[in-house]
PDB file of all heavy atoms in Angstrom:
ATOM      1  N   PRO A 679      33.718  48.730   6.747  1.00 99.00           N
ATOM      2  CA  PRO A 679      34.847  48.071   7.423  1.00 99.00           C
ATOM      3  C   PRO A 679      35.374  48.870   8.622  1.00 99.00           C
ATOM      4  O   PRO A 679      35.851  48.274   9.596  1.00 99.00           O
ATOM      5  CB  PRO A 679      35.918  47.978   6.328  1.00 99.00           C
ATOM      6  CG  PRO A 679      35.148  48.048   5.038  1.00 99.00           C
ATOM      7  CD  PRO A 679      34.004  48.983   5.321  1.00 99.00           C
ATOM      8  N   ALA A 680      35.286  50.212   8.571  1.00 99.00           N
ATOM      9  CA  ALA A 680      35.703  51.025   9.719  1.00 99.00           C
ATOM     10  C   ALA A 680      34.681  50.873  10.849  1.00 99.00           C
ATOM     11  O   ALA A 680      35.047  50.682  12.012  1.00 99.00           O
ATOM     12  CB  ALA A 680      35.847  52.489   9.320  1.00 99.00           C
ATOM     13  N   VAL A 681      33.402  50.920  10.491  1.00 98.00           N
ATOM     14  CA  VAL A 681      32.362  50.731  11.512  1.00 98.00           C
ATOM     15  C   VAL A 681      32.510  49.333  12.126  1.00 98.00           C
ATOM     16  O   VAL A 681      32.446  49.167  13.349  1.00 98.00           O
ATOM     17  CB  VAL A 681      30.951  50.929  10.912  1.00 98.00           C
ATOM     18  CG1 VAL A 681      29.875  50.587  11.934  1.00 98.00           C
ATOM     19  CG2 VAL A 681      30.778  52.370  10.413  1.00 98.00           C
ATOM     20  N   GLY A 682      32.755  48.344  11.273  1.00 98.00           N
ATOM     21  CA  GLY A 682      32.949  46.974  11.757  1.00 98.00           C
ATOM     22  C   GLY A 682      34.148  46.873  12.684  1.00 98.00           C
ATOM     23  O   GLY A 682      34.118  46.147  13.688  1.00 98.00           O
ATOM     24  N   THR A 683      35.206  47.617  12.364  1.00 98.00           N
ATOM     25  CA  THR A 683      36.385  47.654  13.237  1.00 98.00           C
ATOM     26  C   THR A 683      35.994  48.162  14.617  1.00 98.00           C
ATOM     27  O   THR A 683      36.366  47.574  15.643  1.00 98.00           O
ATOM     28  CB  THR A 683      37.474  48.571  12.621  1.00 98.00           C
ATOM     29  OG1 THR A 683      37.876  48.023  11.368  1.00 98.00           O
ATOM     30  CG2 THR A 683      38.680  48.691  13.538  1.00 98.00           C
ATOM     31  N   GLY A 684      35.218  49.268  14.628  1.00 98.00           N
ATOM     32  CA  GLY A 684      34.791  49.836  15.911  1.00 98.00           C
ATOM     33  C   GLY A 684      33.934  48.866  16.705  1.00 98.00           C
ATOM     34  O   GLY A 684      34.115  48.697  17.919  1.00 98.00           O
ATOM     35  N   VAL A 685      33.011  48.195  16.016  1.00 98.00           N
ATOM     36  CA  VAL A 685      32.127  47.240  16.694  1.00 98.00           C
ATOM     37  C   VAL A 685      32.945  46.086  17.269  1.00 98.00           C
ATOM     38  O   VAL A 685      32.807  45.713  18.434  1.00 98.00           O
ATOM     39  CB  VAL A 685      31.039  46.703  15.728  1.00 98.00           C
ATOM     40  CG1 VAL A 685      30.297  45.519  16.343  1.00 98.00           C
ATOM     41  CG2 VAL A 685      30.063  47.812  15.352  1.00 98.00           C
ATOM     42  N   LYS A 686      33.830  45.547  16.439  1.00 98.00           N
ATOM     43  CA  LYS A 686      34.587  44.366  16.877  1.00 98.00           C
ATOM     44  C   LYS A 686      35.566  44.704  18.006  1.00 98.00           C
ATOM     45  O   LYS A 686      35.738  43.924  18.943  1.00 98.00           O
ATOM     46  CB  LYS A 686      35.349  43.773  15.684  1.00 98.00           C
ATOM     47  CG  LYS A 686      36.001  42.427  15.973  1.00 98.00           C
ATOM     48  CD  LYS A 686      34.979  41.298  16.130  1.00 98.00           C
ATOM     49  CE  LYS A 686      35.649  39.974  16.420  1.00 98.00           C
ATOM     50  NZ  LYS A 686      34.678  38.860  16.429  1.00 98.00           N
ATOM     51  N   ARG A 687      36.198  45.891  17.916  1.00 98.00           N
ATOM     52  CA  ARG A 687      37.121  46.267  18.992  1.00 98.00           C
ATOM     53  C   ARG A 687      36.362  46.474  20.305  1.00 98.00           C
ATOM     54  O   ARG A 687      36.872  46.172  21.377  1.00 98.00           O
ATOM     55  CB  ARG A 687      37.873  47.547  18.626  1.00 98.00           C
ATOM     56  CG  ARG A 687      38.801  47.402  17.434  1.00 98.00           C
ATOM     57  CD  ARG A 687      39.920  46.410  17.690  1.00 98.00           C
ATOM     58  NE  ARG A 687      40.827  46.337  16.554  1.00 98.00           N
ATOM     59  CZ  ARG A 687      42.094  46.740  16.586  1.00 98.00           C
ATOM     60  NH1 ARG A 687      42.625  47.222  17.683  1.00 98.00           N
ATOM     61  NH2 ARG A 687      42.847  46.625  15.503  1.00 98.00           N
ATOM     62  N   ALA A 688      35.143  47.017  20.169  1.00 98.00           N
ATOM     63  CA  ALA A 688      34.350  47.250  21.379  1.00 98.00           C
ATOM     64  C   ALA A 688      33.791  45.937  21.918  1.00 98.00           C
ATOM     65  O   ALA A 688      33.691  45.753  23.132  1.00 98.00           O
ATOM     66  CB  ALA A 688      33.215  48.227  21.085  1.00 98.00           C
ATOM     67  N   ARG A 689      33.397  45.036  21.012  1.00 98.00           N
ATOM     68  CA  ARG A 689      32.804  43.758  21.425  1.00 98.00           C
ATOM     69  C   ARG A 689      33.491  42.598  20.711  1.00 98.00           C
ATOM     70  O   ARG A 689      32.917  41.974  19.808  1.00 98.00           O
ATOM     71  CB  ARG A 689      31.292  43.754  21.127  1.00 98.00           C
ATOM     72  CG  ARG A 689      30.464  44.714  21.969  1.00 98.00           C
ATOM     73  CD  ARG A 689      30.611  44.516  23.468  1.00 98.00           C
ATOM     74  NE  ARG A 689      30.318  43.170  23.947  1.00 98.00           N
ATOM     75  CZ  ARG A 689      29.178  42.827  24.548  1.00 98.00           C
ATOM     76  NH1 ARG A 689      28.233  43.719  24.742  1.00 98.00           N
ATOM     77  NH2 ARG A 689      28.995  41.599  24.973  1.00 98.00           N
ATOM     78  N   PRO A 690      34.726  42.274  21.114  1.00 98.00           N
ATOM     79  CA  PRO A 690      35.463  41.200  20.431  1.00 98.00           C
ATOM     80  C   PRO A 690      34.787  39.837  20.534  1.00 98.00           C
ATOM     81  O   PRO A 690      35.108  38.918  19.779  1.00 98.00           O
ATOM     82  CB  PRO A 690      36.824  41.207  21.132  1.00 98.00           C
ATOM     83  CG  PRO A 690      36.688  42.051  22.345  1.00 98.00           C
ATOM     84  CD  PRO A 690      35.512  42.939  22.153  1.00 98.00           C
ATOM     85  N   ASP A 691      33.822  39.715  21.449  1.00 98.00           N
ATOM     86  CA  ASP A 691      33.138  38.439  21.632  1.00 98.00           C
ATOM     87  C   ASP A 691      31.995  38.245  20.644  1.00 98.00           C
ATOM     88  O   ASP A 691      31.381  37.174  20.597  1.00 98.00           O
ATOM     89  CB  ASP A 691      32.594  38.339  23.068  1.00 98.00           C
ATOM     90  CG  ASP A 691      31.721  39.539  23.444  1.00 98.00           C
ATOM     91  OD1 ASP A 691      31.977  40.658  22.932  1.00 98.00           O
ATOM     92  OD2 ASP A 691      30.775  39.362  24.232  1.00 98.00           O
ATOM     93  N   LYS A 692      31.701  39.256  19.827  1.00 98.00           N
ATOM     94  CA  LYS A 692      30.577  39.150  18.893  1.00 98.00           C
ATOM     95  C   LYS A 692      31.058  38.782  17.492  1.00 98.00           C
ATOM     96  O   LYS A 692      32.211  39.029  17.128  1.00 98.00           O
ATOM     97  CB  LYS A 692      29.803  40.471  18.835  1.00 98.00           C
ATOM     98  CG  LYS A 692      29.209  40.897  20.167  1.00 98.00           C
ATOM     99  CD  LYS A 692      28.169  39.904  20.654  1.00 98.00           C
ATOM    100  CE  LYS A 692      27.889  40.081  22.126  1.00 98.00           C
ATOM    101  NZ  LYS A 692      27.132  38.974  22.709  1.00 98.00           N
ATOM    102  N   PHE A 693      30.155  38.235  16.690  1.00 98.00           N
ATOM    103  CA  PHE A 693      30.447  37.918  15.294  1.00 98.00           C
ATOM    104  C   PHE A 693      30.054  39.131  14.445  1.00 98.00           C
ATOM    105  O   PHE A 693      28.898  39.541  14.454  1.00 98.00           O
ATOM    106  CB  PHE A 693      29.675  36.665  14.864  1.00 98.00           C
ATOM    107  CG  PHE A 693      29.957  36.262  13.454  1.00 98.00           C
ATOM    108  CD1 PHE A 693      31.138  35.587  13.132  1.00 98.00           C
ATOM    109  CD2 PHE A 693      29.067  36.571  12.437  1.00 98.00           C
ATOM    110  CE1 PHE A 693      31.411  35.229  11.816  1.00 98.00           C
ATOM    111  CE2 PHE A 693      29.339  36.210  11.118  1.00 98.00           C
ATOM    112  CZ  PHE A 693      30.515  35.533  10.816  1.00 98.00           C
ATOM    113  N   VAL A 694      31.025  39.692  13.740  1.00 98.00           N
ATOM    114  CA  VAL A 694      30.791  40.956  13.027  1.00 98.00           C
ATOM    115  C   VAL A 694      30.943  40.760  11.524  1.00 98.00           C
ATOM    116  O   VAL A 694      31.917  40.170  11.055  1.00 98.00           O
ATOM    117  CB  VAL A 694      31.759  42.054  13.520  1.00 98.00           C
ATOM    118  CG1 VAL A 694      31.538  43.356  12.763  1.00 98.00           C
ATOM    119  CG2 VAL A 694      31.585  42.274  15.022  1.00 98.00           C
ATOM    120  N   LEU A 695      29.951  41.269  10.801  1.00 98.00           N
ATOM    121  CA  LEU A 695      29.933  41.033   9.372  1.00 98.00           C
ATOM    122  C   LEU A 695      29.501  42.286   8.626  1.00 98.00           C
ATOM    123  O   LEU A 695      28.580  42.975   9.071  1.00 98.00           O
ATOM    124  CB  LEU A 695      28.998  39.846   9.149  1.00 98.00           C
ATOM    125  CG  LEU A 695      27.878  39.748   8.180  1.00 98.00           C
ATOM    126  CD1 LEU A 695      28.298  38.716   7.158  1.00 98.00           C
ATOM    127  CD2 LEU A 695      26.631  39.242   8.898  1.00 98.00           C
TER     128      LEU A 695
END
Side-chain angles (χ1 to χ4, degrees):
Chain A
V681 174
T683 298
V685 169
K686 189 70 180 186
R687 295 297 183 113
R689 292 304 304 258
D691 54 329
K692 299 296 163 193
F693 182 78
V694 179
L695 131 112

